[in-house]
Amino acid sequence: MTDSPIPLFKVFMSDKASGSVSKVLSSGYITQGPEVEKFEEVLKNYFSNDKVVTTNSATSGLHLIFHMLKEYGLGEDKVKIDTALDHVLTTPLTCTATNWPIILNDINLRWVDVNPENCNMDLDDLESKVNKNTKAVLVVHWGGYPVDLDRLREIQNNFYQKYGFKFVIIEDSAHAFGTKTDKEMIGNTGNISSFSFQAIKHLTSVDGGCINFNYKEDVDRAKLLRWYGIDREENRKDFRCESDILNVGFKFHMNDVNAYIGRMNFEPVTKDLLKKHENNGIYYNDKLKNIKNVELMDYSNDYSVPFWIYTIKVKNRDRFMEHMKNKNIIVSRVHERNDKHTATKSYQEDLPLLESFIDEMVCIPVGWWVGEAEREYIVESIKEGW
Ligand SMILES: Cc1ncc(COP(=O)(O)O)c(C=O)c1O
C-alpha cells in the first residue's frame, strides 16, 4: 500500500509549538517560570482537577510519589510505608518506568497477575493478595483502557473494613490521557494519577509529566520536593538564597520550554487527535472480530478510550510479526514484562494468567497518523493470514 512503513508511534508537534518556541528560548526565562504555571492551568481545566503538579517526566513523578509514600505518607490519612514488610502491589506488564521507582525507593513490591481480557491488573488476584502490609496499589491503564475502578474501590473499601485504613490507589495513566469511563475521567478519579508527556505520548512536551493528586497537602509537599525542598513562593531577603529547608528534595520540576511546547500541542491533541485514536480503536473492535488466529481484548463500549496502543492476541506471533513487517506495518509487544529481568529476580512469583497470553499479545498502529486507508490496509493484511 505504501512505500514507507506505517509506524506504531509518531511524534505529534503542532506548527504552533515548533513555530513559536523560539519566543520562550529567547525570553531570558527558560527553566521553571510563568509557562509552567500556564501549562498547569490548562491541565487543571482539562481534568477539572485543581491539584495538578507538573514534573520533568512521569518517571520522576512516580519516583516522587513513592518517596512521599515512604517518607511522609499520602492522602488525608497519611498512609505510609512503616516497616520493611509493607509493600506496594503492582502489575508487571508495563514500562520499567512504572515499577523501578518503587524499587529505587527501597520499597517492597509484589506482583499481581494480569487480566488476559484487557492487559490490566487482574483484580481477583489483587483481592487475594492484599493484606495488612499493603500500603498502595499501583495500576496501569494498559493502552489507555481503564482499570475497573469501581471494583478496585470496592476492594479498597472491604480492605478498610478489615484493617481500618485504605491503601492508596496510584494510577499510572501514561497511556491514558483523555480516557473517560461512563462516570469519570482518568486524572480526576479521587486517586493519585501520573501522566507522561514524553515524545510519543498523545500529548508531548518533548519530555514531561504531571501528577494529579486529590489532597492539598500532597500538592504542597510535591511542589517543594520537586525542587530541592525550596519554597519558590516565599519572600526572601536575598533573592538567590532560600530560607530554611525542612526536607531535602529532587530536581524534578518541568521547565518553561517543555511547558510551552505542551501547551501549544494541547489544543490540536484534545480537539482532534484523541478522537482519531478512539475512532481507530472502535474500527478495530468491529473489523478484527472473527478472524482466524486473532483474539480481541474484551473492551467495553461504555468507555471513551483514545487508545495509545491497540493490543490483540495472535497465534504464531513470530510469524505474524514477520508477516506485518513484510506488509510495511510496524507492530510490537511495546513493553517487556518487568518481572522476568535479573534485576527483579528476588520478587518473582507465579503469574499463570500472564503466562497464558504473553506469547500471543502484540500491538498494532492505532494513533492519529492511521487514516481510513491505513486502517483498512492493516485489517486486510491481518485477514490475509500468516
Ligand atoms: C506505563 C508507563 N509509565 C510511565 C512511563 C514513563 O514516562 P516518562 O517517559 O514520561 O518518564 C511510560 C513511558 O512510556 C509508560 O509507558
Side-chain angles (χ1 to χ4, degrees):
M1 178 227 174
T2 70
D3 290 339
S4 51
I6 303 175
L8 187 58
F9 298 113
K10 199 164 177 176
V11 173
F12 172 77
M13 192 57 63
S14 70
D15 290 345
K16 230 169 149 186
S18 49
S20 60
V21 70
S22 58
K23 271 197 332 209
V24 180
L25 290 174
S26 57
S27 70
Y29 216 122
I30 52 177
T31 184
Q32 188 183 341
E35 283 300 334
V36 170
E37 302 257 318
K38 283 189 207 165
F39 188 39
E40 285 183 349
E41 281 312 308
V42 166
L43 294 168
K44 286 176 192 174
N45 252 325
Y46 182 64
F47 291 115
S48 304
N49 180 348
D50 65 355
K51 298 185 179 60
V52 175
V53 178
T54 54
T55 52
N56 57 14
S57 72
T59 310
S60 303
L62 286 160
H63 197 88
L64 190 53
I65 291 168
F66 287 106
H67 175 74
M68 288 168 69
L69 181 71
K70 177 109 189 262
E71 300 297 329
Y72 306 97
L74 287 167
E76 202 169 354
D77 299 333
K78 301 228 166 10
V79 175
K80 186 171 176 294
I81 300 287
D82 286 320
T83 73
L85 288 176
D86 287 350
H87 60 235
V88 175
L89 293 174
T90 183
T91 173
L93 187 61
T94 183
C95 178
T96 48
T98 307
N99 289 311
W100 275 209
I102 307 175
I103 297 171
L104 287 169
N105 274 294
D106 210 13
I107 299 173
N108 237 330
L109 66 75
R110 272 199 78 184
W111 303 119
V112 180
D113 215 341
V114 181
N115 185 341
E117 290 182 349
N118 53 30
C119 293
N120 285 336
M121 178 182 279
D122 185 78
L123 298 182
D124 289 334
D125 193 42
L126 173 72
E127 197 165 24
S128 75
K129 283 180 175 159
V130 291
N131 66 36
K132 66 178 190 329
N133 293 115
T134 305
K135 294 303 175 75
V137 172
L138 173 57
V139 295
V140 173
H141 304 294
W142 176 268
Y145 188 79
V147 169
D148 182 347
L149 292 172
D150 286 341
R151 171 93 199 279
L152 184 52
R153 289 187 194 106
E154 192 185 307
I155 296 170
Q156 191 192 36
N157 283 330
N158 292 340
F159 180 95
Y160 175 74
Q161 299 302 326
K162 199 162 169 189
Y163 299 113
F165 72 95
K166 284 188 179 180
F167 56 75
V168 183
I169 298 175
I170 301 160
E171 301 169 38
D172 179 339
S173 309
H175 300 182
F177 186 75
T179 292
K180 295 182 188 109
T181 72
D182 47 340
K183 301 190 189 88
E184 57 198 339
M185 181 175 202
I186 300 303
N188 187 8
T189 59
N191 303 319
I192 295 174
S193 202
S194 160
F195 290 89
S196 167
F197 306 128
Q198 176 262 354
I200 57 171
K201 294 300 178 329
H202 298 93
L203 172 63
T204 184
S205 61
V206 179
D207 250 327
C210 71
I211 312 169
N212 295 12
F213 290 100
N214 52 67
Y215 183 56
K216 167 85 168 54
E217 237 181 83
D218 289 343
V219 172
D220 295 342
R221 194 185 303 286
K223 282 188 170 174
L224 287 175
L225 292 173
R226 76 176 167 182
W227 203 60
Y228 301 119
I230 298 174
D231 183 354
R232 297 176 72 95
E233 281 145 39
E234 70 183 352
N235 276 325
R236 296 185 188 162
K237 272 197 192 128
D238 178 334
F239 78 106
R240 287 292 308 166
C241 298
E242 73 281 352
S243 48
D244 190 31
I245 291 176
L246 300 181
N247 299 293
V248 295
F250 304 94
K251 189 178 177 190
F252 284 170
H253 67 279
M254 182 176 272
N255 66 51
D256 267 19
V257 180
N258 291 138
Y260 181 79
I261 293 170
R263 189 163 66 84
M264 290 301 112
N265 284 335
F266 175 82
E267 203 176 294
V269 168
T270 52
K271 292 239 157 82
D272 181 29
L273 268 53
L274 291 178
K275 204 70 206 162
K276 290 185 172 156
H277 285 248
E278 183 176 352
N279 286 341
N280 285 339
I282 291 168
Y283 179 85
Y284 289 147
N285 288 343
D286 181 37
K287 302 290 182 202
L288 291 176
K289 271 195 301 223
N290 305 320
I291 298 179
K292 195 169 165 238
N293 292 330
V294 176
E295 198 186 328
L296 297 188
M297 297 286 142
D298 187 13
Y299 290 140
S300 161
N301 292 326
D302 296 341
Y303 301 158
S304 167
V305 183
F307 286 96
W308 182 63
I309 43 179
Y310 190 89
T311 311
I312 57 176
K313 288 177 273 185
V314 295
K315 299 282 180 228
N316 302 314
R317 185 180 55 201
D318 288 348
R319 286 224 307 266
F320 172 82
M321 290 177 81
E322 194 55 33
H323 169 68
M324 295 302 266
K325 192 171 159 196
N326 292 334
K327 290 282 168 185
N328 243 351
I329 302 165
I330 310 295
V331 301
S332 165
R333 293 160 56 208
V334 179
H335 293 312
E336 185 56 85
R337 52 190 289 186
N338 288 185
D339 61 322
K340 289 289 184 188
H341 292 293
T342 304
T344 53
K345 220 162 133 189
S346 58
Y347 306 103
Q348 258 184 34
E349 56 185 286
D350 283 345
L351 301 170
L353 295 176
L354 181 56
E355 275 317 325
S356 74
F357 75 96
I358 191 73
D359 292 336
E360 295 185 351
M361 61 160 290
V362 67
C363 306
I364 60 174
V366 71
W368 53 270
W369 57 95
V370 178
E372 283 182 18
E374 283 84 5
R375 69 191 192 188
E376 268 172 37
Y377 174 72
I378 291 169
V379 169
E380 286 314 312
S381 300
I382 295 174
K383 276 187 177 162
E384 245 176 52
W386 50 95

